[in-house]
Amino acid sequence: MIKQEIDTINQILQKTNARLIAVSKYYPVEDVKTAYDCGQRLFGESREQELRLKQMALPKDIEWHFIGHLQTNKVKYIVPYISLIHSVDSVKLLEEINKQGEKINRKINVLLQVYIAKEENKYGFDEKDLLQYFSTKAYKNLDYINFCGIMGMATNTDDKEEIRREFRQLRKTFEIVKSSFFKDNHSFCELSMGMSEDFQIAIEEGATLIRIGSRIFQ
Ligand SMILES: *Cc1c(COP(=O)(O)O)cnc(C)c1O
């Protein structure tokens, strides 16, 4: 039951400063509406076309979060309304978001996706490459990017200690980037990590945004 799951998760979140993003990718508009009617306002999608259709069909006070791999040619379609892009995984994508934001004079909120998993098929920056990029200061020319924090995905495994190590590593990356480059930037405060199977660990390790799909909608 959608309502029951959302209520349960919100109860868990009450004692934390993390917020729930209901990941509605692959689930129909009616399910999003059901979650909306339970008070849920933050939703995550991972495909531009599916997101566009839902954005048009659903109430305008929904905050849409883009969480999947984003192709540069799709950026222009989402910048007018997207609340936060979690999945910025290359400098090229960052520059395209900046360019499209400038065109419509809208500063776009982004998270930098960092690769932490022991799997080949996940996207994201290496921590080293990310620090290297920021140390060039090229990011300071991106006037239409609002850097809000870091996102990552743990390995899909039953090994809870491995997952915890990866989340801890991601938090450390967040702290390093924050203290080195965004110390006085209050926007840089989000750590997006944790999904249906591992969100409890993510919360314990300092997540501020958790992204939950199947547990709510299945
Ligand atoms: C699908 C997806 C989720 C939600 O995963 P569930 O296991 O269904 O909770 C979270 N984050 C990203 C990046 C996803 O693609």
Side-chain angles (χ1 to χ4, degrees), residues 94-102 141-145:
L94 202 50
E95 287 172 347
E96 177 64 16
I97 295 168
N98 184 66
K99 183 176 139 191
Q100 296 299 336
E102 180 169 19
N141 298 323
L142 303 175
D143 293 332
Y144 290 85
I145 298 282

Side-chain angles (χ1 to χ4, degrees), residues 166-183:
E166 292 173 3
F167 285 154
R168 205 164 277 179
Q169 177 63 43
L170 192 65
R171 165 133 191 210
K172 211 176 281 173
T173 304
F174 170 83
E175 305 284 357
I176 291 169
V177 174
K178 168 102 183 149
S179 63
S180 308
F181 306 104
F182 297 103
K183 205 186 254 162

Side-chain angles (χ1 to χ4, degrees), residues 23 25 27 46 67-68 151 153 194-197 211-215:
V23 176
K25 64 171 192 222
Y27 299 103
S46 62
I67 61 167
M151 177 270 215
M153 286 168 89
M195 311 178 8
S196 291
E197 299 301 325
R211 312 177 307 268
I212 301 189
S214 50
R215 164 143 183 189

